[in-house]
Amino acid sequence: MAAHRSGPLKQQNKAHKGGRHRGRGSAQRDSKGRLALKVLSKKVRKELSRVDQRHRASQLRKQKKEAVLAEKRQLGSKDSPPHQVLVVPLHDRISLPEAFRLLQDKDTGTVHLNEWGSNHSFMLLCPRLKHRWFFMSARPGDLHAVLDMAKVADTILFLLDPLEGWDSTGDYCLSCLFAQGLPTYTLAVQGISGLPPRKQIDAKKKLSKRVEKRFPNDKLLLLDTQQEAQMLLRQLANQKQRHLAFRDRRAYLFAHAADFVPSEENNLVGTLKISGYVHGQTLNVNSLLHIIGHGDFQMKQIDAPMDPFPLNPRVVKSQDSGAAMEICAMDAVVDMEEDLKVLMKADPERQESLQTEVIPDPMEGEQTWPTEEELNEANDFLKESSKVVKKVPKGTSSYQAEWILDEDGESGAEDEYDETEHEDFIEENSQDEGSEKEEEEECETMTIGESVHDDLYDDSVDEEAEEKMLEKYKQERLQEMFPDEVDTPRDVAARIRFQKYRGLKSFRTSPWDPKENLPQDYARIFQFQNFTHTRKRIFKEVEEKEVEGAEVGWYVTLHVSEVPISVVEYFKRGAPLIVFSLLPHEQKMSVLNMVVSRHPGNTEPVKAKEELIFHCGFRRFRASPLFSQHTAADKHKFQRFLTADTALVATVYGPITFPPASVLLFKQNSNGMHSLIATGYLLSVDPDRMVIKRVVLSGHPFKIFTKMAVVRYMFFTREDVLWFKPVELRTKWGRRGHIKEPLGTHGHMKCSFDGKLKSQDTVLMNLYKRVFPKWTYDPYVPEPVPWIKSEISSTVPEVDME
């Protein structure tokens, strides 16, 4: 019998690779000294042993501890500015004068009471602790003053009630401070010793549980005796400091004194001399200053007067009488070197300019959209050219002649029809109707009710405000139920009503030029070629570049030029005067984009382009924002209302600010109070961010033939159907289609779809246009009405146990 022999197609298995599990030595012998590409391209790192790794980690921990201790010791010392402490009472029952009396202990140190303004503040010098504090507090109910002081405070001291902790007003204040960003803070309880001894332990436990929700892992200190006040001071001096990023990169100053010198030409404008301690960074005289709530200004010079609150005054004994007198270390040389008091004078060539807007050149043709003046001139020219000479009977006036002559009526159709103008027209008509109804109802009637409070309640209700709020609630509800759907007007052609809109094949992928059809306001703003790179470069210069000027901790006097007298009057009424230095380009106007989220304590509808009050970093101003979706695409859908479930982007015209910076949005109510609407942060400074408004036109299928259907009520003229024929259609149930041809003259149209329609379906057409914010920027914010507990409770809901 013949043996089996394998054919030419026999399977050949791979040989086993024995070098797969070989050791490091055999691999190095086989490589013969060759190195891998990664080893050649990168720097060879030296591998440390376990002992060296532990030693290195311990050294890093030691360096961090030393840095924290050095920061603690430096704050409030003789070579640094005083430790600024903002005292914020969070309940009506808390006595702020009593707390200040306990802190103003003569055994602890020297107390210097404030002699300027009307707010409560004092300086406490403690040589034994080698520390000096500056305690300050805002006027009762002044929310903006509390927020402004928190921007420059090193520590915030919250005073709590032993029974409730904080009331509705205190909770509202905490919400604003948390949204803005909290520096180092300390919690103190006032009045717990006044409770019976048996209830003190229970009160501490209940208060600790409530405080733990907002301030987890924080201890409660007591403030009822002098010993407890001294322990509180030690806690303030030794606790770790928390930093706010927007103020660490800028120089800032809290004014301890201010003097106004009017100019020779105008008494309402002059030079403001602001005295205080420099914080943050070195202050250069050529940089610009921002006075919170008043705008940007230039400096003339910086003086270095004698420090009015020295921590260690020198004691010099005269040889004749042996009397001791305390003088500052600088007193001995002040008389001889008076010329050294001027630190720096502004250099006109190196000084930053106050130019905030670009002066557009009309010859460059930067903008593609005509101005209002050009539109008015064109209308006047059309009116002049449309005059016709005809024969009329004698004695006919020009008014009568216009009625005799034939009217074409084409001029009205050629005018632009904007949606905002249409809404304003509707609002004016509704206001006129409301005013007529009010005139009819002005007759006085007397009714006897069951309760006197019900009769008095009607007197305080503003009927006009109630009607406007009801209309806003209806619009917000309609927007939620039928997003972006509008009715096609019957009196105006759709091709004219929506002439600024366009159709898109895909909202995400269809191209849209960001430089197309820009408004005239875009010729006034500045734009960065690369905002991120500019921000990194400026921050790097702040950290590495040495700047000449007033160092941190010096007591200086700033000569600020061209300041209105209203700033001094504002300061004399007791409001804080806070100054921040500006980084390069921060005085120029551009488009700010801020990510904001609706505050849960406010449910009032907020419509786009309403005037709101912004706290953006160290600035405070008024503007009318646009709201859009926060996505990563190149086009962002416009939102008509500030929704409560998602974060949106608010877009406004405003001065350039480099993030990070917190953002707070307030709305001024009819009673003068400011309610917190939303909180967030600054996203970017980008005028090219496109906010696209969508309008949805709806129609109903009239006759359905498999994939063909006759649609009506979307348009009402044959010309409109032909005009919008290239735009794609969609339905609420996911069908896609397009217009085939118009039917008749009443707006009926034959449409084809990618599937059979249902009779309950709705046919939709999406139209888009780019929208821009309104130029309503105003750096002057009116002072709010002080907080009232009954009115704050409407903003921050409370649970009624009755």
Side-chain angles (χ1 to χ4, degrees):
M1 186 175 71
H4 173 73
R5 295 181 179 181
S6 60
L9 301 177
K10 179 186 177 181
Q11 178 179 352
Q12 297 291 334
N13 295 327
K14 291 184 178 181
H16 177 69
K17 295 183 179 180
R20 194 171 193 178
H21 303 287
R22 58 185 175 176
R24 185 184 301 175
S26 61
Q28 290 178 355
R29 285 193 300 269
D30 293 342
S31 63
K32 298 179 181 179
R34 293 190 298 267
L35 297 177
L37 293 176
K38 293 183 179 180
V39 179
L40 289 174
S41 59
K42 293 185 178 180
K43 186 178 180 180
V44 180
R45 296 181 180 178
K46 184 179 180 181
E47 295 182 2
L48 300 177
S49 62
R50 288 189 176 183
V51 178
D52 294 336
Q53 289 178 2
R54 292 174 182 174
H55 182 61
R56 183 180 179 183
S58 64
Q59 284 182 335
L60 292 176
R61 287 196 301 268
K62 186 177 180 181
Q63 290 176 2
K64 290 181 180 180
K65 288 182 180 180
E66 290 178 353
V68 172
L69 288 175
E71 186 181 6
K72 289 180 182 179
R73 293 165 182 165
Q74 187 178 6
L75 183 61
S77 62
K78 62 178 182 178
D79 297 328
S80 62
H83 190 163
Q84 297 185 152
V85 181
L86 173 61
V87 183
V88 180
L90 298 179
H91 203 280
D92 291 339
R93 291 196 291 263
I94 293 175
S95 176
L96 190 61
E98 178 65 20
F100 277 7
R101 185 187 64 81
L102 294 174
L103 294 172
Q104 295 172 0
D105 186 13
K106 295 182 179 179
D107 297 335
T108 305
T110 307
V111 178
H112 296 272
L113 297 177
N114 179 25
E115 298 180 357
W116 47 268
S118 59
N119 56 345
H120 303 282
S121 61
F122 64 92
M123 186 76 70
L124 178 61
L125 307 178
C126 184
R128 181 167 53 86
L129 296 177
K130 298 180 181 180
H131 211 88
R132 54 178 175 175
W133 290 272
F134 177 67
F135 289 91
M136 55 185 178
S137 65
R139 292 176 297 178
D142 194 347
L143 175 63
H144 290 317
V146 173
L147 293 177
D148 292 345
M149 289 182 174
K151 294 172 184 176
V152 297
D154 298 315
T155 303
I156 299 181
L157 176 60
F158 292 113
L159 298 181
L160 307 178
D161 182 72
L163 298 178
E164 299 180 5
W166 51 77
D167 54 6
S168 59
T169 306
D171 186 58
Y172 180 62
C173 180
L174 284 176
S175 300
C176 298
L177 289 174
F178 270 96
Q180 179 177 264
L182 275 181
T184 309
Y185 60 88
T186 302
L187 306 176
V189 184
Q190 184 191 56
I192 201 169
S193 61
L195 299 176
R198 296 180 180 179
K199 294 184 178 181
Q200 290 183 7
I201 299 177
D202 295 338
K204 289 181 181 179
K205 291 182 179 179
K206 292 180 180 179
L207 185 60
S208 299
K209 290 183 179 180
R210 185 174 185 185
V211 168
E212 190 176 359
K213 296 179 180 179
R214 274 195 179 267
F215 305 95
N217 302 324
D218 286 329
K219 296 181 180 180
L220 292 175
L221 302 178
L222 303 180
L223 186 59
D224 290 327
T225 61
Q226 298 289 350
Q227 293 181 353
E228 294 171 350
Q230 292 181 3
M231 292 179 62
L232 177 61
L233 291 176
R234 291 183 179 274
Q235 171 66 18
L236 295 176
N238 296 326
Q239 63 184 353
K240 184 180 179 180
Q241 295 298 311
R242 300 173 63 183
H243 297 277
L244 297 179
F246 73 89
R247 74 181 185 187
D248 287 342
R249 295 186 177 95
R250 299 170 179 88
Y252 59 94
L253 181 143
F254 185 89
H256 288 260
D259 187 20
F260 183 77
V261 180
S263 62
E264 298 178 356
E265 300 176 357
N266 188 2
N267 293 331
L268 300 178
V269 179
T271 301
L272 180 63
K273 299 180 180 179
I274 305 175
S275 299
Y277 294 92
V278 180
H279 295 255
Q281 296 288 334
T282 304
L283 180 60
N284 191 356
V285 70
N286 294 319
S287 61
L288 297 179
L289 289 182
H290 176 77
I291 302 178
I292 295 182
H294 301 283
D296 303 335
F297 303 94
Q298 288 180 333
M299 287 183 288
K300 290 183 178 179
Q301 69 181 36
I302 300 179
D303 297 342
M306 178 182 62
D307 191 348
F309 309 109
L311 182 60
N312 297 318
R314 295 179 59 183
V315 179
V316 180
K317 296 182 179 180
S318 61
Q319 298 178 356
D320 299 334
S321 58
M325 52 184 177
E326 294 183 354
I327 62 174
C328 182
M330 297 176 62
D331 283 342
V333 294
V334 163
D335 297 334
M336 296 182 293
E337 299 179 352
E338 291 184 354
D339 55 339
L340 295 179
K341 293 179 65 176
V342 178
L343 288 179
M344 294 182 67
K345 287 189 176 182
D347 186 2
E349 297 180 356
R350 300 172 57 189
Q351 195 171 23
E352 290 283 346
S353 174
L354 280 174
Q355 181 184 1
T356 59
E357 301 177 10
V358 178
I359 301 176
D361 188 0
M363 302 302 294
E364 290 183 359
E366 294 177 341
Q367 308 305 324
T368 58
W369 198 258
T371 62
E372 295 182 1
E373 297 177 357
E374 293 173 350
L375 292 175
N376 295 332
E377 290 177 0
N379 292 332
D380 296 340
F381 178 75
L382 290 175
K383 290 179 181 178
E384 292 293 334
S385 62
S386 62
K387 291 182 179 179
V388 181
V389 180
K390 288 188 178 182
K391 293 182 180 181
V392 295
K394 289 185 178 181
T396 304
S397 63
S398 60
Y399 176 75
Q400 294 172 341
E402 290 180 359
W403 283 97
I404 294 173
L405 296 176
D406 295 335
E407 290 286 342
D408 295 335
E410 295 180 356
S411 61
E414 293 175 356
D415 294 338
E416 290 187 356
Y417 189 89
D418 194 6
E419 183 180 355
T420 55
E421 297 177 359
H422 183 66
E423 293 175 355
D424 295 341
F425 178 75
I426 295 175
E427 292 178 359
E428 290 177 1
N429 290 340
S430 62
Q431 291 177 359
D432 294 340
E433 293 176 1
S435 61
E436 292 176 1
K437 292 179 181 179
E438 289 178 359
E439 290 177 0
E440 296 176 359
E441 297 176 358
E442 280 183 356
C443 53
E444 185 178 359
T445 58
M446 180 70 70
T447 57
I448 301 175
E450 297 179 358
S451 174
V452 181
H453 297 286
D454 293 339
D455 300 336
L456 297 178
Y457 181 80
D458 292 336
D459 297 339
S460 61
V461 174
D462 189 355
E463 296 183 2
E464 184 178 356
E466 289 286 326
E467 290 293 332
K468 290 183 179 180
M469 188 59 61
L470 178 61
E471 184 64 27
K472 289 177 66 175
Y473 275 111
K474 289 182 179 179
Q475 293 179 5
E476 186 180 26
R477 184 63 184 273
L478 286 175
Q479 175 65 20
E480 293 177 358
M481 296 175 61
F482 308 99
D484 300 328
E485 291 191 29
V486 298
D487 295 330
T488 306
R490 302 289 298 272
D491 53 345
V492 181
R495 63 186 182 276
I496 297 174
R497 169 65 181 83
F498 304 109
Q499 61 183 344
K500 294 183 181 180
Y501 290 82
R502 68 179 71 176
L504 294 178
K505 180 69 175 178
S506 172
F507 181 79
R508 184 178 62 87
T509 60
S510 296
W512 196 310
D513 187 6
K515 304 295 183 182
E516 177 185 359
N517 290 342
L518 298 179
Q520 189 65 24
D521 290 335
Y522 262 52
R524 304 163 57 186
I525 63 175
F526 290 84
Q527 182 177 4
F528 294 98
Q529 187 174 5
N530 193 323
F531 176 73
T532 305
H533 288 182
T534 305
R535 173 177 169 270
K536 290 182 179 179
R537 177 181 58 82
I538 291 177
F539 285 177
K540 188 175 181 180
E541 290 179 357
V542 171
E543 295 176 359
E544 298 178 358
K545 189 177 180 180
E546 295 183 0
V547 182
E548 296 181 358
E551 299 289 340
V552 177
W554 290 5
Y555 186 83
V556 297
T557 299
L558 311 179
H559 294 252
V560 188
S561 58
E562 302 297 328
V563 179
I565 196 173
S566 59
V567 179
V568 185
E569 295 175 353
Y570 180 76
F571 175 70
K572 289 181 178 179
R573 289 198 300 267
L577 190 61
I578 299 171
V579 175
F580 271 86
S581 66
L582 298 182
L583 297 176
H585 312 298
E586 283 194 331
Q587 79 278 12
K588 301 173 183 177
M589 295 291 292
S590 188
V591 178
L592 306 183
N593 301 308
M594 314 169 189
V595 179
V596 296
S597 300
R598 188 67 182 266
H599 187 258
N602 191 291
T603 58
E604 179 182 347
V606 179
K607 198 174 182 180
K609 297 184 180 181
E610 283 190 29
E611 187 180 75
L612 301 177
I613 299 171
F614 286 77
H615 280 253
C616 180
F618 56 89
R619 294 184 185 272
R620 186 170 72 239
F621 56 88
R622 290 184 292 173
S624 300
L626 291 180
F627 299 124
S628 60
Q629 292 180 351
H630 182 36
T631 59
D634 59 341
K635 295 182 289 294
H636 310 273
K637 184 177 170 297
F638 170 76
Q639 296 290 326
R640 289 176 170 83
F641 289 89
L642 180 60
T643 57
D645 52 349
T646 57
L648 300 180
V649 176
T651 303
V652 295
Y653 289 111
I656 294 171
T657 304
F658 292 104
S662 59
V663 173
L664 281 77
L665 272 66
F666 292 88
K667 183 178 179 181
Q668 185 170 2
N669 301 328
S670 57
N671 55 7
M673 293 185 60
H674 294 173
S675 58
L676 181 63
I677 297 296
T679 60
Y681 60 92
L682 180 62
L683 177 64
S684 64
V685 180
D686 185 13
D688 286 343
R689 189 180 189 276
M690 292 185 292
V691 180
I692 308 299
K693 184 177 184 178
R694 185 182 70 173
V695 166
V696 180
L697 304 182
S698 59
H700 301 276
F702 178 47
K703 297 179 181 180
I704 300 175
F705 308 97
T706 61
K707 294 184 179 181
M708 301 291 293
V710 178
V711 180
R712 60 180 178 178
Y713 302 147
M714 182 176 289
F715 303 107
F716 299 99
T717 62
R718 184 183 182 89
E719 291 78 9
D720 289 341
V721 176
L722 293 173
W723 180 269
F724 291 99
K725 185 178 178 181
V727 184
E728 186 182 18
L729 300 176
R730 68 177 182 90
T731 68
K732 289 190 175 181
W733 288 10
R735 297 299 181 190
R736 297 279 178 174
H738 61 277
I739 301 173
K740 294 284 289 184
E741 59 181 353
L743 298 177
T745 60
H746 296 282
H748 292 205
M749 55 189 182
K750 184 188 293 185
C751 304
S752 64
F753 296 90
D754 57 356
K756 187 177 180 180
L757 288 184
K758 301 291 185 181
S759 59
Q760 302 90 349
D761 205 350
T762 304
V763 182
L764 305 175
M765 176 182 287
N766 295 338
L767 300 176
Y768 303 92
K769 77 168 182 178
R770 185 179 179 185
V771 291
F772 303 90
K774 292 183 178 180
W775 193 290
T776 57
Y777 170 76
D778 188 2
Y780 306 103
V781 178
E783 296 184 30
V785 174
W787 298 330
I788 302 174
K789 184 175 180 180
S790 60
E791 297 183 359
I792 287 294
S793 60
S794 62
T795 305
V796 181
E798 289 185 343
V799 180
D800 191 4
M801 301 304 294
E802 298 179 0

